[in-house]
Amino acid sequence: MNSAHPITIPGKLVRRLRTAQRVVVLTGAGISAESGIPTFRDAMTGLWARFRPEELATPEAFQRNPKLVWDWYTWRRKRAEEAEPNAGHRALVDLEARAPEFVLVTQNVDGLHARAGSRRVVELHGNIMRTKCFDCDRLAHDWQQSEEVPPRCVHCGGMLRPDVVWFGEVLPDHAMEEAMRVAGQCEVFLSVGTSTVVEPAASLPFTALRGGACVVEVNPNATPLTLCAEFVLTGSAASVLPQLVAMAFPAAK
Ligand code: BV8
Ligand code: ZN
């Protein structure tokens, strides 16, 4: 589906978004799909096809096979570097400019929201463009392209790893606290391109519901949120979000 196929956006939703003071958006891998970055479920191709994401994105997998995990992230980082933000990312930049209070909470580690121009971005699961030491946690800004894979920390000799949150690892506490707070206080909560499975991020739309927010899901497929959302816009982020923002804020075209 693309923007040539307009979807029906209820007038009630358009008015809610236009008049909302506090808007929160949660994004998942689906918003980056149209930038050519495979969603988390689809990322298991080629060399890694025989693994489930949960089997590779863990500290245990890294300790068991550091080269395999490092190479997977190197491949994904290159895909992210080569990718460009799409119309869905850009629509959220427009929305941030028009909503009085706006917070974008993302599960994605590809950095595309910041590259699109989004300013208030909460990265729940880190950022694949940053690299840190598995042992001392210090960030590594560059490393010798030594034959050793993964490269080593100049401070303590530990293995370098991507600065992302793996399964079984705690999220950056300030990030999750802020995400929970703003989700519970917002008037409109958009959940875009996420399978709504991985905790604790998946609880955010339900926190918004309990806070009385108008919860909207944007996804071509159904998720555990679909039956609870007030509005379900069935389609891709790159086609739905520009239409939604343009209808709510016509001047933002
Ligand atoms: C923690 C970074 C605890 C790394 C990621 C059993 C039950 C419940 C929970 C658990 C459990 N067992 C374990 C847990 C906890 C676990 C968890 O939730 N597991 C899942 C598998 C059940 N969670 C954790 O481990 C978290 N930590 O709980 O710590 C703790 C407490 C104290 C002390 C120690 C520990 C950490 C979770 C973070 C993991 N890291 N990413 C990396 O990227 O490599 S998760 C990763 O997968 C993503 O970041 C994202 O969050 C998640 C799911 O991916 P999605 O973004 O949703 O993408 P997905 O592919 O799944 O779906 C794409 C969606 O887009 C689909 O719906 C599709 O329809 C849609 N789509 C497709 N195209 C489009 C589109 N939408 C719009 N437009 C399109 N064009
Ligand atoms: Zn170190």
Side-chain angles (χ1 to χ4, degrees):
M1 169 184 262
N2 58 43
S3 49
H5 301 284
I7 67 158
T8 308
I9 296 182
K12 189 179 168 206
L13 167 57
V14 172
R15 285 188 297 280
R16 287 295 296 269
L17 186 57
R18 182 179 297 145
T19 56
Q21 287 299 307
R22 294 181 300 282
V23 175
V24 173
V25 180
L26 171 69
T27 61
I31 196 168
S32 295
E34 283 152 298
S35 294
I37 296 182
T39 66
F40 207 70
R41 305 280 156 242
D42 304 341
M44 312 319 284
T45 58
L47 266 184
W48 305 285
R50 65 184 190 281
F51 298 101
R52 285 185 308 111
E54 296 80 10
E55 290 171 324
L56 275 191
T58 68
E60 294 76 23
F62 182 68
Q63 286 175 301
R64 202 170 40 244
N65 194 334
K67 182 178 181 326
L68 175 77
V69 175
W70 175 267
D71 287 347
W72 182 48
Y73 278 95
T74 302
W75 176 77
R76 286 177 61 198
R77 185 168 54 242
K78 283 195 171 45
R79 296 291 297 267
E81 285 165 349
E82 290 157 4
E84 289 299 326
N86 63 57
H89 296 102
R90 290 193 296 274
L92 294 183
V93 177
D94 293 343
L95 182 54
E96 180 172 22
R98 303 303 300 264
E101 291 176 52
F102 179 90
V103 182
L104 172 52
V105 180
T106 189
Q107 300 171 84
N108 299 340
V109 298
D110 57 35
L112 285 185
H113 284 303
R115 281 179 50 200
S118 289
R119 294 209 312 277
R120 184 124 180 245
V121 183
V122 177
E123 292 182 323
L124 292 181
H125 295 158
N127 188 312
I128 200 169
M129 301 305 175
R130 286 195 307 268
T131 298
K132 67 179 183 182
C133 174
F134 186 77
D135 292 337
C136 73
D137 243 17
R138 285 188 182 90
L139 285 180
H141 299 289
D142 54 33
W143 52 85
Q144 304 308 321
Q145 286 301 350
S146 65
E147 63 289 347
E148 187 167 11
V149 175
R152 292 287 171 163
C153 168
V154 293
H155 304 284
C156 75
M159 292 188 288
L160 297 187
R161 56 163 284 181
D163 185 17
V164 300
V165 179
W166 279 332
F167 289 97
E169 293 187 322
V170 291
L171 278 59
D173 44 20
H174 60 281
M176 197 55 205
E177 273 160 23
E178 180 178 6
M180 292 293 278
R181 181 175 55 77
V182 297
Q185 295 171 348
C186 67
E187 293 159 68
V188 173
F189 185 100
L190 305 182
S191 185
V192 180
T194 178
S195 54
T196 324
V197 164
V198 172
E199 295 296 353
S203 61
L204 290 171
F206 300 94
T207 300
L209 273 175
R210 281 196 300 278
C214 165
V215 174
V216 185
E217 181 171 61
V218 178
N219 196 317
N221 303 306
T223 77
L225 176 64
T226 306
L227 292 179
C228 308
E230 186 170 347
F231 297 99
V232 176
L233 305 179
T234 304
S236 78
S239 65
V240 170
L241 291 179
Q243 293 177 63
L244 174 61
V245 175
M247 288 179 75
F249 304 101
K253 274 201 184 55

